[in-house]
Amino acid sequence: MSGYFKEIYDGCKSLVVGLGITFKYMIRPVVTLQYPRQAVKMAPRYRGHIDLVPDAESGNKCIACGMCQRNCPSGCITLKSEKPEGAKKKVLTGYRLDFTKCSLCGLCVESCPTDALDFSKEYNLAGFKAEDFVFDLLKRCEERRR
Ligand code: SF4
Ligand code: SF4
């Protein structure tokens, strides 16, 4: 008979302890997000794929020097540039990133003389084929400026 009452006592005690924990967390700040409905704010040092930094005047800060392409150990970057008639400098006409090969080493960002590159905050990329992870960074940059 004493075992029967002990079981009731243990059950009630565990219920009270459980409810205590529930109420304690009810009044604490929420630390979870309703993903994917809510966007996650990534930490400042988070590294998504690289992106061209938009510039209000020229569109982007790239001078088409090719340093990022030459320094990338994985061959992820393919640049296209042209020198318009009468112009002194080259103009970037294409910036393709093959993110399937990128190790996020940051050598391209570090070697850029004009700080034209940065890491994006992309965290939920998804695709069905490798081509879904090949990005036109110049197009992305123009879209972000709008
Ligand atoms: S982060 Fe590294 S691997 Fe990725 S594109 Fe830049 S240099 Fe290449
Ligand atoms: S290193 Fe910088 S400026 Fe040079 S091509 Fe790459 S992004 Fe453009």
Side-chain angles (χ1 to χ4, degrees), residues 48-50 72-78 96-105 125-137:
H49 66 75
I50 57 162
C72 176
S74 314
C76 309
I77 299 168
T78 311
R96 180 178 172 276
L97 170 73
D98 185 349
F99 194 46
T100 61
K101 298 193 240 165
C102 178
S103 59
L104 293 169
C105 67
L125 295 173
F128 293 101
K129 48 194 188 306
E131 297 83 67
D132 293 337
F133 301 94
V134 177
F135 305 124
D136 180 343
L137 296 195

Side-chain angles (χ1 to χ4, degrees), residues 111-125:
S111 62
C112 179
T114 57
D115 293 330
L117 290 173
D118 202 358
F119 292 105
S120 71
K121 300 290 178 220
E122 294 280 358
Y123 62 89
N124 57 356
L125 295 173

Side-chain angles (χ1 to χ4, degrees), residues 3-29:
Y4 173 73
F5 287 111
K6 190 173 179 316
E7 265 185 43
I8 292 177
Y9 170 77
D10 287 344
C12 290
K13 189 180 163 193
S14 126
L15 183 66
V16 170
V17 169
L19 283 173
I21 292 169
T22 303
F23 286 123
K24 195 168 83 182
Y25 280 92
M26 267 173 71
I27 55 172
R28 283 192 181 181

Side-chain angles (χ1 to χ4, degrees), residues 36-49:
R37 285 191 294 277
Q38 283 180 290
V40 183
K41 192 173 184 309
M42 303 311 285
R45 292 171 69 186
Y46 172 80
R47 289 184 176 189
H49 66 75

